[in-house]
Structure formats: structure tokens, C-alpha cells
Amino acid sequence: MKIRDMQAVPVLNTSFTTFNLNGFLDLGEWRPFLFIPYFLMFMLSTISNSVLIYLTITQTALHSPMCILIGLMAVVDLLLPIFFVPNMLLSFLFSWTEISLAGCLIQMFCIHCVGTFQSTLLVWMALDRFFAICKPLYYHKFMQMPNFLKYIIFPVVRNGLLIIVMISRVGKLSFCKTNEIDHCFCEHMALVQLACGDISINNLLGLLAAFLIITADFLFITISYFVILTSVLKSGKSHLKAINTCITHIIVMTVTITFALIAFMSYRVRNNFSPNSRVFLSTMYLLFPSCFNPIIYGVRTKEIREQFLKFIHQMKVFPK
């Protein structure tokens, strides 16, 4: 009997405390080649977001509310891949797959905290655009930090409570089915489905987090942009920049949330998704925004683009 088959046999009165992350294991000898695309995406995310953070901090011209929000988004996009991509790359190259239960819970907590904060930042950006375009006379009043904090208290408290309850519930489970997680990182349901006994409450908490945070934020952002577009069209003015920005943001968010919801629901409903497809979608809903947000929210913003070109010009050394 193979070792993997032996591990799959339930062990009575035993709860595993270490696990193996075996995402893409079915690819066999081709698995190490996944290092190349994921490493390139990781470097793109790291470099582009680091430059964006540097520009936001050092250039006083970028200290406007919207640019600060974009800078915060870059911090989130820089941190999120760090929580799982390095371990995943080492797993591809050296088959270092082992992770402790405590490490798994910490990784899960960090990914969910930062991931939900990314969603909340998009809500703040939608509010910024709403006041800037629809209520320009009240923009400075409502975007002052004391007033603006009123809009973000509820989302932050909501995110924190749901994630803490969800992760703490996972920590109380006993894992006796197997210690092999068919994933590249500690995804919530990928770990929960290895537990013994009833996991219906864990399943429900995962769904609540998906729909009360990500889906709810997406609906709020979509409605906000719809109001903005309606206001722009009714004004009779040519606001192609505003329309283009809103549509681009909605497209990126739609792609991301589609990846996320498909990955979440693939554990809960009968489907024909292969394990490799499920893992790919899960990694993409975390990596895709981190790679493309610096372009969508950074380079396409005029003020940031000008400062970036200025930065590139200063970096060049011309021989005299």
C-alpha cells in the first residue's frame, strides 16, 4: 500500500497536527514547471506594488485621499501573495509541503484578513468617486478623515468578527480523515473537509464570509458606480475618464469575484471541477488583483502616472 493511501485511512482517536499541501500533485513531473509562471506573477506583484507604495509615500503630490487609498491597496496587494506564494514556490521546486495546524490557521487568518480588507478598500474608493463626481461641493467635507471613518467602521468590524469566528471554529475541529490538503495554501474548506464529525456550522460560516463581505461589497460598489454613471450621463457633460474608470474597475472586480465564488462553491456543490482547476482558481483570485491593480488603479491614474514617469526619468543616468 502506498504511503498516501495509508494516510488516507482514518485513524481512530487521532487528530492530525501537521498537514501536507499537495496542490497540483496530479501533474507529477510537470509540477515543478509551475514555478515559472507563479514566480513571474509574484515578482510582477512585488515590484509594481512596491514602486506604487514608494511613490505614494515620497511624492507630496500624491497625498490626496484617492491616491492614499490606492497606496493602501498597493500595501494589501503586496502582502497578500507573501502569505502563500513563497511556500507554494518552495513546494514546486523542493516538495516542501508540510505545514503545522497552527501555521495553517495563521496563514488562513492572514489571507482572509488582508483579502477582505482589499474588498473594503474598493468600497472606500467607490465612496471617494461618488463624492468627487456626484457631490463635488461636499467632497472635502465628507472625505475628511473624521467623517470618512464613520463609513468604514462597520465594514472593518464586520470583517474582523466574521473571520475571527470562522477561524476559531476551525481550530476546534479534530482532523482524523487524512493530513493531505489538496491545495497550495490553507484554504478554509480545503482544511475543514478533512475534519471528523459535523462541519455544517463551518460550512455556513464560510458562506456567510463569502456573501456578507465579498458579495455584499461587490454589490455596493456596483450600485455606487451605476449611480455615478447615471449622474454623469444625465449631466450631459463629457466625462469619458469617469466612465472609462468605472467600467474598468467593475470588469476587474467581476473577474476577481467570479474566481472567488467559483472556488468557494466548488467545495459545496456537486461539480465536475478537477482538483487542479479548483486550486488554480483559488490562486488566481488572490494573485490576479495583486498583479493588475497597480495598472488599473495606479498607472491609469493621471497623477500617479505623471509621478511614475518623473521617477523613471530621475532613475536614468545619462553620461556627460
Side-chain angles (χ1 to χ4, degrees):
M1 183 181 291
K2 295 181 180 179
I3 294 177
R4 184 174 182 179
D5 294 332
M6 293 176 63
Q7 290 176 328
V9 178
V11 181
L12 298 177
N13 300 322
T14 299
S15 180
F16 292 108
T17 56
T18 59
F19 300 89
N20 293 314
L21 294 168
N22 291 327
F24 298 115
L25 193 64
D26 293 340
L27 293 181
E29 61 182 8
W30 293 100
R31 189 172 183 263
F33 290 96
L34 290 175
F35 175 89
I36 298 173
Y38 279 104
F39 176 75
L40 292 176
M41 292 183 70
F42 180 63
M43 292 305 298
L44 172 62
S45 170
T46 301
I47 294 172
S48 58
N49 285 297
S50 296
V51 170
L52 191 51
I53 293 169
Y54 174 80
L55 291 176
T56 305
I57 293 174
T58 59
Q59 305 300 315
T60 55
L62 300 181
H63 290 176
S64 64
M66 187 59 179
C67 290
I68 292 175
L69 288 175
I70 293 175
L72 288 174
M73 178 66 74
V75 173
V76 170
D77 290 334
L78 177 66
L79 290 177
L80 194 56
I82 291 176
F83 293 133
F84 74 98
V85 174
N87 286 341
M88 186 171 67
L89 295 178
L90 291 174
S91 172
F92 291 155
L93 286 183
F94 307 109
S95 297
W96 294 352
T97 61
E98 188 173 290
I99 187 170
S100 66
L101 176 59
C104 202
L105 294 176
I106 291 172
Q107 185 187 58
M108 191 187 304
F109 178 79
C110 292
I111 289 175
H112 280 84
C113 271
V114 176
T116 55
F117 191 69
Q118 183 183 64
S119 173
T120 303
L121 274 173
L122 293 174
V123 172
W124 300 347
M125 288 183 182
L127 282 173
D128 179 273
R129 292 301 85 196
F130 172 78
F131 286 119
I133 297 174
C134 300
K135 305 287 184 181
L137 297 178
Y138 298 95
Y139 179 79
H140 293 289
K141 175 183 176 181
F142 286 102
M143 290 305 294
Q144 287 179 349
M145 192 55 65
N147 292 326
F148 189 61
L149 288 175
K150 297 177 183 178
Y151 298 102
I152 68 175
I153 291 176
F154 172 74
V156 171
V157 172
R158 172 204 61 182
N159 297 358
L161 286 177
L162 280 172
I163 292 168
I164 290 173
V165 172
M166 183 178 72
I167 303 301
S168 62
R169 183 73 187 182
V170 177
K172 296 178 180 179
L173 295 174
S174 295
F175 303 93
C176 62
K177 292 183 178 179
T178 177
N179 70 336
E180 294 199 6
I181 303 175
D182 199 357
H183 217 295
C184 289
F185 61 89
C186 289
E187 203 275 339
H188 177 250
M189 282 306 297
L191 176 62
V192 168
Q193 68 180 1
L194 305 182
C196 314
D198 184 21
I199 60 171
S200 56
I201 295 179
N202 301 87
N203 191 5
L204 177 61
L205 289 172
L207 287 174
L208 286 176
F211 288 101
L212 292 183
I213 299 178
I214 300 176
T215 307
D217 286 351
F218 175 76
L219 291 175
F220 178 85
I221 294 165
T222 303
I223 292 172
S224 299
Y225 282 149
F226 177 78
V227 173
I228 292 171
L229 292 173
T230 303
S231 176
V232 169
L233 294 175
K234 284 184 178 180
S235 67
K237 299 178 181 180
S238 177
H239 289 287
L240 293 178
K241 178 182 177 182
I243 295 175
N244 187 31
T245 300
C246 292
I247 292 176
T248 304
H249 290 186
I250 291 174
I251 291 174
V252 174
M253 287 184 296
T254 301
V255 172
T256 303
I257 197 173
T258 300
F259 283 155
L261 291 180
I262 291 176
F264 291 160
M265 297 308 295
S266 65
Y267 287 98
R268 296 173 171 87
V269 297
R270 191 179 298 276
N271 59 78
N272 295 322
F273 278 106
S274 66
N276 289 341
S277 300
R278 183 188 299 155
V279 175
F280 173 76
L281 289 173
S282 295
T283 56
M284 281 301 102
Y285 81 73
L286 295 177
L287 260 179
F288 178 82
S290 296
C291 291
F292 290 95
N293 279 346
I295 299 173
I296 301 302
Y297 297 101
V299 178
R300 288 173 57 86
T301 301
K302 181 181 177 182
E303 296 82 0
I304 294 177
R305 184 170 64 251
E306 291 176 349
Q307 295 301 320
F308 176 71
L309 293 175
K310 179 181 177 181
F311 171 74
I312 293 297
H313 180 73
Q314 292 175 345
M315 292 293 292
K316 291 180 179 180
V317 179
F318 296 99
K320 294 182 181 181

Short mmCIF file of all heavy atoms in Angstrom, two decimals, residues 218-251:
data_model
loop_
_atom_site.label_atom_id
_atom_site.label_comp_id
_atom_site.label_asym_id
_atom_site.label_seq_id
_atom_site.Cartn_x
_atom_site.Cartn_y
_atom_site.Cartn_z
N PHE A 218 -19.19 43.90 -3.30
CA PHE A 218 -19.27 43.99 -4.76
C PHE A 218 -20.59 44.64 -5.19
O PHE A 218 -20.61 45.49 -6.08
CB PHE A 218 -19.15 42.59 -5.37
CG PHE A 218 -19.34 42.55 -6.86
CD1 PHE A 218 -18.34 42.99 -7.70
CD2 PHE A 218 -20.52 42.09 -7.41
CE1 PHE A 218 -18.51 42.97 -9.08
CE2 PHE A 218 -20.70 42.06 -8.78
CZ PHE A 218 -19.70 42.51 -9.62
N LEU A 219 -21.70 44.26 -4.56
CA LEU A 219 -22.99 44.85 -4.89
C LEU A 219 -23.02 46.33 -4.57
O LEU A 219 -23.52 47.15 -5.35
CB LEU A 219 -24.12 44.12 -4.14
CG LEU A 219 -24.40 42.68 -4.58
CD1 LEU A 219 -25.44 42.04 -3.68
CD2 LEU A 219 -24.86 42.64 -6.04
N PHE A 220 -22.47 46.70 -3.41
CA PHE A 220 -22.43 48.12 -3.03
C PHE A 220 -21.60 48.93 -4.03
O PHE A 220 -22.00 50.02 -4.44
CB PHE A 220 -21.84 48.26 -1.62
CG PHE A 220 -21.72 49.69 -1.17
CD1 PHE A 220 -22.79 50.34 -0.57
CD2 PHE A 220 -20.53 50.39 -1.34
CE1 PHE A 220 -22.69 51.66 -0.16
CE2 PHE A 220 -20.41 51.71 -0.93
CZ PHE A 220 -21.49 52.36 -0.33
N ILE A 221 -20.45 48.39 -4.42
CA ILE A 221 -19.57 49.08 -5.37
C ILE A 221 -20.26 49.21 -6.73
O ILE A 221 -20.21 50.28 -7.36
CB ILE A 221 -18.24 48.32 -5.51
CG1 ILE A 221 -17.47 48.37 -4.19
CG2 ILE A 221 -17.39 48.91 -6.63
CD1 ILE A 221 -16.33 47.37 -4.10
N THR A 222 -20.90 48.14 -7.17
CA THR A 222 -21.60 48.17 -8.46
C THR A 222 -22.71 49.21 -8.46
O THR A 222 -22.87 49.99 -9.42
CB THR A 222 -22.18 46.78 -8.79
OG1 THR A 222 -21.12 45.82 -8.79
CG2 THR A 222 -22.86 46.79 -10.16
N ILE A 223 -23.49 49.26 -7.38
CA ILE A 223 -24.56 50.25 -7.27
C ILE A 223 -23.99 51.66 -7.26
O ILE A 223 -24.52 52.57 -7.92
CB ILE A 223 -25.40 49.99 -5.99
CG1 ILE A 223 -26.16 48.69 -6.13
CG2 ILE A 223 -26.37 51.15 -5.74
CD1 ILE A 223 -26.87 48.25 -4.85
N SER A 224 -22.89 51.85 -6.53
CA SER A 224 -22.25 53.18 -6.47
C SER A 224 -21.81 53.63 -7.85
O SER A 224 -22.04 54.78 -8.26
CB SER A 224 -21.05 53.15 -5.51
OG SER A 224 -21.44 52.81 -4.21
N TYR A 225 -21.15 52.74 -8.59
CA TYR A 225 -20.69 53.09 -9.93
C TYR A 225 -21.86 53.30 -10.89
O TYR A 225 -21.78 54.12 -11.81
CB TYR A 225 -19.73 52.02 -10.46
CG TYR A 225 -18.33 52.13 -9.89
CD1 TYR A 225 -17.53 51.01 -9.71
CD2 TYR A 225 -17.80 53.36 -9.53
CE1 TYR A 225 -16.24 51.10 -9.19
CE2 TYR A 225 -16.52 53.46 -9.02
CZ TYR A 225 -15.75 52.34 -8.84
OH TYR A 225 -14.49 52.46 -8.33
N PHE A 226 -22.94 52.56 -10.68
CA PHE A 226 -24.13 52.77 -11.52
C PHE A 226 -24.71 54.17 -11.29
O PHE A 226 -25.09 54.86 -12.24
CB PHE A 226 -25.19 51.70 -11.20
CG PHE A 226 -26.48 51.87 -11.97
CD1 PHE A 226 -26.56 51.48 -13.29
CD2 PHE A 226 -27.59 52.43 -11.35
CE1 PHE A 226 -27.75 51.65 -14.01
CE2 PHE A 226 -28.78 52.60 -12.05
CZ PHE A 226 -28.86 52.20 -13.38
N VAL A 227 -24.76 54.59 -10.01
CA VAL A 227 -25.24 55.94 -9.69
C VAL A 227 -24.31 56.98 -10.29
O VAL A 227 -24.77 58.00 -10.84
CB VAL A 227 -25.34 56.12 -8.16
CG1 VAL A 227 -25.66 57.57 -7.81
CG2 VAL A 227 -26.39 55.18 -7.57
N ILE A 228 -23.01 56.74 -10.22
CA ILE A 228 -22.04 57.67 -10.79
C ILE A 228 -22.23 57.80 -12.30
O ILE A 228 -22.28 58.91 -12.85
CB ILE A 228 -20.60 57.21 -10.47
CG1 ILE A 228 -20.32 57.34 -8.98
CG2 ILE A 228 -19.58 58.02 -11.27
CD1 ILE A 228 -19.01 56.71 -8.54
N LEU A 229 -22.35 56.66 -12.98
CA LEU A 229 -22.53 56.68 -14.44
C LEU A 229 -23.83 57.37 -14.82
O LEU A 229 -23.88 58.14 -15.79
CB LEU A 229 -22.50 55.25 -14.99
CG LEU A 229 -21.16 54.53 -14.91
CD1 LEU A 229 -21.32 53.08 -15.34
CD2 LEU A 229 -20.13 55.23 -15.78
N THR A 230 -24.89 57.10 -14.07
CA THR A 230 -26.18 57.73 -14.33
C THR A 230 -26.08 59.24 -14.16
O THR A 230 -26.60 60.02 -14.98
CB THR A 230 -27.26 57.18 -13.38
OG1 THR A 230 -27.35 55.76 -13.54
CG2 THR A 230 -28.62 57.80 -13.69
N SER A 231 -25.40 59.68 -13.11
CA SER A 231 -25.23 61.10 -12.86
C SER A 231 -24.43 61.78 -13.97
O SER A 231 -24.76 62.87 -14.42
CB SER A 231 -24.53 61.31 -11.51
OG SER A 231 -24.25 62.66 -11.27
N VAL A 232 -23.38 61.08 -14.43
CA VAL A 232 -22.53 61.62 -15.50
C VAL A 232 -23.32 61.76 -16.79
O VAL A 232 -23.25 62.79 -17.48
CB VAL A 232 -21.30 60.73 -15.72
CG1 VAL A 232 -20.57 61.12 -17.00
CG2 VAL A 232 -20.35 60.83 -14.53
N LEU A 233 -24.10 60.74 -17.13
CA LEU A 233 -24.87 60.77 -18.37
C LEU A 233 -25.98 61.82 -18.32
O LEU A 233 -26.27 62.48 -19.32
CB LEU A 233 -25.48 59.38 -18.64
CG LEU A 233 -24.46 58.27 -18.95
CD1 LEU A 233 -25.16 56.93 -19.07
CD2 LEU A 233 -23.68 58.58 -20.22
N LYS A 234 -26.61 62.00 -17.15
CA LYS A 234 -27.68 63.00 -17.01
C LYS A 234 -27.13 64.42 -17.08
O LYS A 234 -27.84 65.34 -17.50
CB LYS A 234 -28.42 62.80 -15.70
CG LYS A 234 -29.38 61.62 -15.70
CD LYS A 234 -30.14 61.55 -14.39
CE LYS A 234 -31.14 60.41 -14.40
NZ LYS A 234 -31.90 60.32 -13.10
N SER A 235 -25.90 64.62 -16.66
CA SER A 235 -25.32 65.96 -16.64
C SER A 235 -25.06 66.49 -18.04
O SER A 235 -24.93 67.70 -18.24
CB SER A 235 -24.00 65.95 -15.84
OG SER A 235 -23.02 65.19 -16.52
N GLY A 236 -24.99 65.58 -19.02
CA GLY A 236 -24.76 65.99 -20.39
C GLY A 236 -23.33 66.40 -20.68
O GLY A 236 -23.00 66.85 -21.77
N LYS A 237 -22.45 66.20 -19.68
CA LYS A 237 -21.05 66.55 -19.86
C LYS A 237 -20.26 65.35 -20.35
O LYS A 237 -20.67 64.21 -20.17
CB LYS A 237 -20.46 67.08 -18.56
CG LYS A 237 -21.13 68.33 -18.03
CD LYS A 237 -20.52 68.75 -16.71
CE LYS A 237 -21.21 69.99 -16.17
NZ LYS A 237 -20.63 70.42 -14.87
N SER A 238 -19.15 65.63 -20.97
CA SER A 238 -18.29 64.55 -21.45
C SER A 238 -17.32 64.14 -20.34
O SER A 238 -16.34 64.81 -20.08
CB SER A 238 -17.51 65.00 -22.69
OG SER A 238 -16.65 63.99 -23.12
N HIS A 239 -17.67 63.06 -19.67
CA HIS A 239 -16.81 62.54 -18.61
C HIS A 239 -16.33 61.15 -19.01
O HIS A 239 -16.60 60.17 -18.33
CB HIS A 239 -17.57 62.49 -17.29
CG HIS A 239 -17.83 63.84 -16.69
ND1 HIS A 239 -16.84 64.60 -16.12
CD2 HIS A 239 -18.98 64.55 -16.58
CE1 HIS A 239 -17.37 65.73 -15.66
NE2 HIS A 239 -18.65 65.72 -15.93
N LEU A 240 -15.66 61.09 -20.15
CA LEU A 240 -15.19 59.79 -20.63
C LEU A 240 -14.22 59.15 -19.65
O LEU A 240 -14.21 57.93 -19.50
CB LEU A 240 -14.50 59.97 -21.99
CG LEU A 240 -15.41 60.40 -23.15
CD1 LEU A 240 -14.59 60.57 -24.42
CD2 LEU A 240 -16.52 59.37 -23.37
N LYS A 241 -13.42 59.97 -18.96
CA LYS A 241 -12.47 59.44 -18.00
C LYS A 241 -13.19 58.73 -16.86
O LYS A 241 -12.82 57.62 -16.46
CB LYS A 241 -11.60 60.56 -17.44
CG LYS A 241 -10.60 60.09 -16.39
CD LYS A 241 -9.80 61.26 -15.83
CE LYS A 241 -8.87 60.79 -14.72
NZ LYS A 241 -8.10 61.91 -14.13
N ALA A 242 -14.26 59.38 -16.34
CA ALA A 242 -15.02 58.79 -15.24
C ALA A 242 -15.69 57.50 -15.68
O ALA A 242 -15.68 56.49 -14.96
CB ALA A 242 -16.06 59.79 -14.73
N ILE A 243 -16.30 57.53 -16.87
CA ILE A 243 -16.98 56.34 -17.38
C ILE A 243 -15.99 55.20 -17.60
O ILE A 243 -16.23 54.05 -17.21
CB ILE A 243 -17.72 56.67 -18.69
CG1 ILE A 243 -18.85 57.68 -18.42
CG2 ILE A 243 -18.28 55.41 -19.33
CD1 ILE A 243 -19.55 58.16 -19.67
N ASN A 244 -14.88 55.51 -18.22
CA ASN A 244 -13.86 54.51 -18.50
C ASN A 244 -13.31 53.90 -17.21
O ASN A 244 -13.11 52.69 -17.10
CB ASN A 244 -12.73 55.14 -19.31
CG ASN A 244 -11.71 54.11 -19.79
OD1 ASN A 244 -12.06 52.96 -20.05
ND2 ASN A 244 -10.47 54.52 -19.90
N THR A 245 -13.07 54.77 -16.20
CA THR A 245 -12.55 54.30 -14.92
C THR A 245 -13.53 53.36 -14.23
O THR A 245 -13.16 52.28 -13.76
CB THR A 245 -12.24 55.49 -13.99
OG1 THR A 245 -11.27 56.32 -14.61
CG2 THR A 245 -11.72 55.01 -12.65
N CYS A 246 -14.80 53.76 -14.19
CA CYS A 246 -15.83 52.94 -13.52
C CYS A 246 -15.98 51.58 -14.19
O CYS A 246 -16.04 50.55 -13.52
CB CYS A 246 -17.17 53.68 -13.50
SG CYS A 246 -17.19 55.15 -12.46
N ILE A 247 -16.06 51.58 -15.51
CA ILE A 247 -16.24 50.34 -16.24
C ILE A 247 -15.04 49.40 -16.04
O ILE A 247 -15.20 48.20 -15.83
CB ILE A 247 -16.47 50.62 -17.75
CG1 ILE A 247 -17.82 51.32 -17.95
CG2 ILE A 247 -16.43 49.32 -18.55
CD1 ILE A 247 -18.09 51.73 -19.38
N THR A 248 -13.84 49.98 -16.09
CA THR A 248 -12.63 49.17 -15.89
C THR A 248 -12.61 48.54 -14.50
O THR A 248 -12.31 47.35 -14.34
CB THR A 248 -11.37 50.02 -16.08
OG1 THR A 248 -11.42 50.64 -17.37
CG2 THR A 248 -10.12 49.17 -15.98
N HIS A 249 -12.94 49.33 -13.49
CA HIS A 249 -12.97 48.81 -12.11
C HIS A 249 -13.98 47.68 -11.97
O HIS A 249 -13.70 46.65 -11.34
CB HIS A 249 -13.31 49.94 -11.13
CG HIS A 249 -12.22 50.96 -11.00
ND1 HIS A 249 -12.28 51.99 -10.08
CD2 HIS A 249 -11.05 51.11 -11.65
CE1 HIS A 249 -11.18 52.72 -10.19
NE2 HIS A 249 -10.43 52.21 -11.14
N ILE A 250 -15.15 47.85 -12.57
CA ILE A 250 -16.20 46.83 -12.46
C ILE A 250 -15.76 45.54 -13.15
O ILE A 250 -16.01 44.44 -12.65
CB ILE A 250 -17.52 47.35 -13.06
CG1 ILE A 250 -18.10 48.46 -12.17
CG2 ILE A 250 -18.53 46.22 -13.21
CD1 ILE A 250 -19.32 49.13 -12.75
N ILE A 251 -15.09 45.65 -14.30
CA ILE A 251 -14.62 44.45 -15.02
C ILE A 251 -13.62 43.68 -14.17
O ILE A 251 -13.71 42.45 -14.03
CB ILE A 251 -14.00 44.85 -16.38
CG1 ILE A 251 -15.09 45.37 -17.33
CG2 ILE A 251 -13.27 43.66 -17.00
CD1 ILE A 251 -14.55 45.91 -18.63
#
